[in-house]
Amino acid sequence: MKFAVVVFPGSNCDIDMYHAVRDELGEEAAYVDYRETSLKEYDAVLLPGGFSFGDYLRSGAIAARLPIAEGIREAAAEGKPVLGVCNGFQVLLELGLLPGAMRRNRQLTFICKPVTLEVANSRTMFTGTYGSGEQVTIPVAHGEGNYFCDEETLEELRENDQIAFTYTDDVNGSVERIAGITNRAGNVLGMMPHPERAVDELLGSADGLKMFQSILTHWRETHAVKN
């Protein structure tokens, strides 16, 4: 399986993503510059966190208007796994691939610490190796991670099982303590916590590695040759 790690100017987690896939998952990964327009040669697309364009203006707004945006849209439309973390989540919102918007943390300060998440939906291609309701430890690092959507959108997220992760505590003021959501088709996931920073016990937790293993397991199952 070949993963694309999209590199935006200012990103600081692309190397962590690459490490998670190559060194911990044991699969192929390649950096893809934001000026590229196609992601057709890849099986999955990863949008890393960091400070793309310095987090100025509205986070993710500039990144979502780069040439690579069309490639991301095409990959999502083709049903490929598209994972956006932190800034990557904000880019997916700006692209319109996920509903809602991101606001500054309720406490108006940058938060950087391990947090506990609950797996709200273990039936997605990103969460298949987690147990339903399982609690995992994955770090956050953001100043603008307060997820918001209106009541109608929230009801749709509930009805369609699009809420993948929730915080066990009110970390940043997010609606319903939402930490991660999928699109209705289930192949696009945005989340504020950083699974790529939790792929080895040396990092304090290996709970994030299960997400990459889930993607790989799903891909192998759907691409298995039937005799």
Side-chain angles (χ1 to χ4, degrees), residues 2-6 28-32 39 42-48:
K2 189 172 183 179
F3 290 75
V5 179
V6 178
E28 189 174 355
Y31 294 116
V32 179
L39 292 162
Y42 302 98
D43 303 304
V45 177
L46 305 177
L47 308 180

Side-chain angles (χ1 to χ4, degrees), residues 82-93:
V82 178
L83 169 63
V85 173
C86 196
N87 260 178
F89 187 3
Q90 294 159 345
V91 171
L92 292 174
L93 294 172

Side-chain angles (χ1 to χ4, degrees), residues 133-150:
E134 180 178 348
Q135 293 193 354
V136 298
T137 301
I138 295 179
V140 295
H142 58 248
E144 199 168 313
N146 181 355
Y147 177 76
F148 175 79
C149 64
D150 58 27

Side-chain angles (χ1 to χ4, degrees), residues 44-211:
V45 177
L46 305 177
L47 308 180
F51 290 87
S52 60
F53 292 95
D55 255 356
Y56 297 118
L57 299 175
R58 194 171 65 240
S59 297
I62 298 176
R65 287 155 180 80
L66 298 173
I68 197 64
E70 189 55 33
I72 297 170
R73 286 193 178 94
E74 288 179 357
E78 292 170 0
K80 294 179 180 178
V82 178
L83 169 63
V85 173
C86 196
N87 260 178
F89 187 3
Q90 294 159 345
V91 171
L92 292 174
L93 294 172
E94 296 287 347
L95 283 169
L97 293 176
L98 292 174
M102 206 63 73
R103 303 182 296 190
R104 293 193 67 189
N105 297 338
R106 183 177 56 186
Q107 52 273 62
L108 302 181
T109 58
F110 188 88
I111 303 170
C112 183
K113 63 179 183 180
V115 299
T116 303
L117 308 178
E118 182 171 310
V119 180
N121 184 358
S122 62
R123 300 180 301 282
T124 79
M125 65 175 68
F126 304 96
T127 58
T129 61
Y130 293 104
S132 179
E134 180 178 348
Q135 293 193 354
V136 298
T137 301
I138 295 179
V140 295
H142 58 248
E144 199 168 313
N146 181 355
Y147 177 76
F148 175 79
C149 64
D150 58 27
E151 280 297 328
E152 182 179 354
T153 301
L154 180 60
E155 190 56 34
E156 291 178 358
L157 292 175
R158 292 187 187 122
E159 290 180 354
N160 298 314
D161 286 332
Q162 290 176 247
I163 301 174
F165 295 98
T166 57
Y167 301 106
T168 58
D169 297 315
D170 185 5
V171 172
N172 51 28
S174 292
V175 169
E176 293 278 291
R177 299 202 304 270
I178 286 175
I181 59 171
T182 69
N183 62 345
R184 186 171 294 193
N187 68 302
V188 177
L189 169 66
M191 62 185 297
M192 290 310 296
H194 289 261
E196 77 282 3
R197 294 187 185 179
V199 293
D200 191 295
E201 293 296 342
L202 286 173
L203 300 174
S205 171
D207 290 341
L209 182 58
K210 283 187 175 181
M211 178 167 298

